[in-house]
Amino acid sequence: MTDSEIILTEEGKQDLLDELHYLETEKRAEVGERIKVAREFGDISENSEYDDAKNEQAMMEGRIVEINRILQEATIISAAKKGSKINIGNTVTVEMNGAERVFTIVGGAESNVAAGKISNLSPVGQALLGSKKGDTVIAVGPNGRETQIKILSFK
C-alpha cells in the first residue's frame, strides 16, 4: 500500500455511493430549481441569489467528480480479518491520556474523527496498525508531541 492509495471499507464505499445518489438525484434537482427561480429575478449580472446557486452547483458537481474518482481508484477492504494484529477496518479500544477511547481505523477518504473513524495514515492510526492487545504504542503528532496509547482490545 502506498501513501497515495485510496482505501475504503465496505461501509465507507456504501456511504459514498449513498452520498453520490443523493447529490445526483435530489440535490441536483434542488439546485437546478434554485437557479431557475433566481433567473426569474431579472438581470443575472447583479443577482446574488443566482450567483449563490451557481456556486453551490459548482461545489456539488465538484464533489460528484471527487466521489466518482475515489470510488474508481479505491481499494476496498473487506471486513477486517480476525487475527492477532490490528489492521484497517478494526475497531480498537485504547487508553489514551487517562481516558478510554474507541476508534475504527479506516482509509483517509472516510476518516471522521467526530464519528470515531481515524485514518490509517494519521499518527494514532499508524501507531496502532500491526499492534496487538496489551501493547503500548507511541503516536507522535505533527507538533512532535508524543502520546502513549495502551491497546485494551480490538475487533
Side-chain angles (χ1 to χ4, degrees):
M1 261 181 273
T2 64
D3 285 354
S4 63
E5 185 177 8
I6 300 170
I7 298 171
L8 287 175
T9 61
E10 289 287 344
E11 179 185 357
K13 177 184 174 186
Q14 188 58 52
D15 289 346
L16 286 175
L17 287 170
D18 292 346
E19 181 182 357
L20 182 63
H21 177 73
Y22 167 74
L23 291 174
E24 289 180 332
T25 56
E26 296 175 39
K27 191 69 174 176
R28 214 177 237 163
E30 177 186 309
V31 172
E33 184 62 29
R34 281 189 58 209
I35 291 171
K36 179 182 169 192
V37 169
R39 275 193 190 132
E40 294 171 0
F41 292 149
D43 183 10
I44 62 172
S45 66
E46 295 182 20
N47 186 332
S48 65
E49 288 87 2
Y50 179 79
D51 290 341
D52 287 346
K54 289 299 280 183
N55 286 337
E56 183 177 2
Q57 181 185 42
M59 289 189 322
M60 178 194 61
E61 293 299 333
R63 180 64 179 153
I64 289 170
V65 168
E66 178 185 25
I67 291 171
N68 279 316
R69 181 189 61 78
I70 289 169
L71 290 171
Q72 186 175 29
E73 296 175 8
T75 299
I76 308 302
I77 304 295
S78 300
K81 297 175 184 152
K82 293 193 182 238
S84 61
K85 295 190 176 185
I86 297 171
N87 206 338
I88 295 171
N90 284 130
T91 298
V92 185
T93 303
V94 300
E95 184 179 312
M96 190 167 137
N97 298 325
E100 190 172 295
R101 309 258 327 255
V102 178
F103 300 113
T104 300
I105 302 174
V106 296
E110 64 181 295
S111 65
N112 178 346
V113 176
K117 295 179 177 184
I118 61 169
S119 168
N120 62 309
L121 301 176
S122 70
V124 173
Q126 287 180 335
L128 292 173
L129 287 175
S131 301
K132 54 187 187 258
K133 180 180 176 179
D135 285 355
T136 298
V137 297
I138 304 290
V140 180
N143 61 359
R145 182 172 160 233
E146 293 184 352
T147 302
Q148 187 171 324
I149 305 167
K150 180 166 177 58
I151 300 165
L152 303 176
S153 66
F154 72 94
K155 58 182 175 179

